[in-house]
Amino acid sequence: MSALTLERPRSLKAALASLAADPSLMPIAGCTDVYVGLHFGTTPERRFLDLWGLKELRGIGVDGDALRIGALSTYTEIIQSTLVQQRVPMLVAASREVGGAQIQNRGTLGGNVANASPAGDTLPVLAAAGARIVLRSQSGTRTVPFDGFYTSYRNSIRTPDELVVAIEIPRLQGRQWWRKVGTRRAQAISKIMMAAVRGTDVRIGIGSVGPTVITATQAAAVLSGGGSIADAKAALLSEIRPIDDVRSTGEYRATVAANLLEQFWRET
Ligand SMILES: Cc1cc2nc3c(=O)[nH]c(=O)nc-3n(C[C@H](O)[C@H](O)[C@H](O)COP(=O)(O)OP(=O)(O)OC[C@H]3O[C@@H](n4cnc5c(N)ncnc54)[C@H](O)[C@@H]3O)c2cc1C
């Protein structure tokens, strides 16, 4: 541990100045992902920027018509938030299935987004919700659509001097649906998960079936246009790219993805 350096900025301004001066600094929020990498020796970084004390990244509130969730909001805070319960119940449902109580108390929404794993449980929810990611650096703030945030496996458009400061979720109409399929009910990384909204239009986000979370626009278009569930399943299978890995096989994931789509449609 003595080889590691930790900076603890007192304000967002100070944190952004540190990142601008040294973009190789690795931000840490709850540290639940980073610590696993340190433990297994797969995190090469040695210099860290602790965001935990930054009040500017906390809080859940309404901004205009959107729900604004500070990047440091933990799963427990999201589960307990009346605003999130009322506006985005599928995010509450997903948060309840992340890790166990300890991870829910410490893991953050911003960390899940920035970590950029295709198995991040909140990411299909943010895709289905048409969320926006608010990024800030010393030179300014930009708000980007979640759909364009990830560029490839574990990569995003976030530059090393930027922090995720908040996630914005527009007001959603229609029924929300969430399902995670894993080896067991708790402490299991997803084999596959789907979030969807059935309103005038249909929106579907699906995880662990490609290098990044996927917004299934073609399947959603079939269902929005009054097409059959069989056609929607065929469209879904053409837009996902599941692979074989330690958690599952591509074939299993494709079969379950189609089944989840049917379950979503039936239950809503
Ligand atoms: C036992 C266990 C169980 C888990 N179960 C699940 C699960 O069921 N589902 C799931 O999705 N995940 C799970 N995880 C992974 C992890 O808990 C989540 O991804 C969590 O949301 C990460 O948040 P964090 O604040 O701890 O991120 P950190 O570990 O602090 O950071 C993760 C990454 O994001 C970057 N980062 C963090 N915050 C910011 C920010 N504001 N701006 C820019 N970059 C930032 C860091 O530099 C790092 O690259 C589990 C982890 C463990 C150890």
Side-chain angles (χ1 to χ4, degrees):
M1 291 300 283
S2 59
L4 308 179
T5 310
L6 183 68
E7 267 192 43
R8 289 200 142 141
R10 284 169 181 268
S11 66
L12 178 58
K13 194 175 167 203
L16 295 175
S18 291
L19 275 181
D22 179 4
S24 72
L25 271 176
M26 185 181 211
I28 54 174
C31 210
T32 59
D33 272 313
V34 172
Y35 195 78
V36 173
L38 281 174
H39 184 67
F40 286 106
T42 51
T43 299
E45 284 82 359
R46 288 292 168 264
R47 290 170 46 69
F48 300 92
L49 185 71
D50 183 6
L51 308 179
W52 197 252
L54 301 183
K55 294 188 186 68
E56 298 94 325
L57 303 193
R58 295 204 174 273
I60 299 173
V62 174
D63 186 2
D65 205 29
L67 180 68
R68 184 181 165 99
I69 304 179
L72 281 181
S73 301
T74 63
Y75 296 108
T76 300
E77 286 165 347
I78 288 169
I79 292 165
Q80 291 174 349
S81 161
T82 314
L83 271 175
V84 188
Q85 288 164 16
Q86 286 166 351
R87 288 187 169 226
V88 204
M90 62 182 169
L91 182 58
V92 173
S95 300
R96 280 188 197 285
E97 292 192 86
V98 171
Q102 297 93 334
I103 296 296
Q104 290 173 9
N105 284 340
R106 187 73 196 180
T108 66
L109 183 60
N112 207 224
V113 169
N115 195 49
S117 160
D121 276 332
T122 65
L123 309 185
V125 173
L126 300 181
R132 300 181 289 268
I133 307 299
V134 185
L135 297 165
R136 190 173 303 168
S137 71
Q138 208 175 27
S139 43
T141 303
R142 57 181 179 140
T143 301
V144 297
F146 184 76
D147 272 353
F149 187 67
Y150 299 110
T151 50
S152 60
Y153 178 68
R154 307 227 47 173
N155 287 315
S156 74
I157 59 169
R158 184 179 75 82
T159 55
D161 65 335
E162 281 180 316
L163 289 176
V164 175
V165 293
I167 291 90
E168 291 179 352
I169 300 180
R171 193 179 275 283
L172 298 170
Q173 272 151 6
R175 281 195 66 184
Q176 299 177 27
W177 189 86
W178 158 260
R179 178 79 203 272
K180 167 173 175 167
V181 177
T183 313
R184 51 189 180 176
R185 291 292 291 172
Q187 295 285 24
I189 305 284
S190 298
K191 287 174 186 282
I192 180 169
M193 62 287 197
M194 184 183 282
V197 182
R198 182 173 184 174
T200 320
D201 283 324
V202 175
R203 280 193 64 97
I204 301 161
I206 179 161
S208 289
V209 289
T212 65
V213 61
I214 287 174
T215 307
T217 49
Q218 292 168 33
V222 172
L223 293 174
S224 298
S228 70
I229 188 67
D231 287 348
K233 282 160 87 172
L236 182 74
L237 292 175
S238 72
E239 56 191 332
I240 61 176
R241 280 182 284 148
I243 56 163
D244 296 348
D245 67 11
V246 288
R247 283 186 215 114
S248 198
T249 64
E251 188 187 356
Y252 176 86
R253 287 184 162 119
T255 306
V256 174
N259 289 348
L260 289 183
L261 187 69
E262 188 163 348
Q263 190 185 357
F264 151 61
W265 204 239
R266 198 175 54 243
E267 290 180 357
T268 58

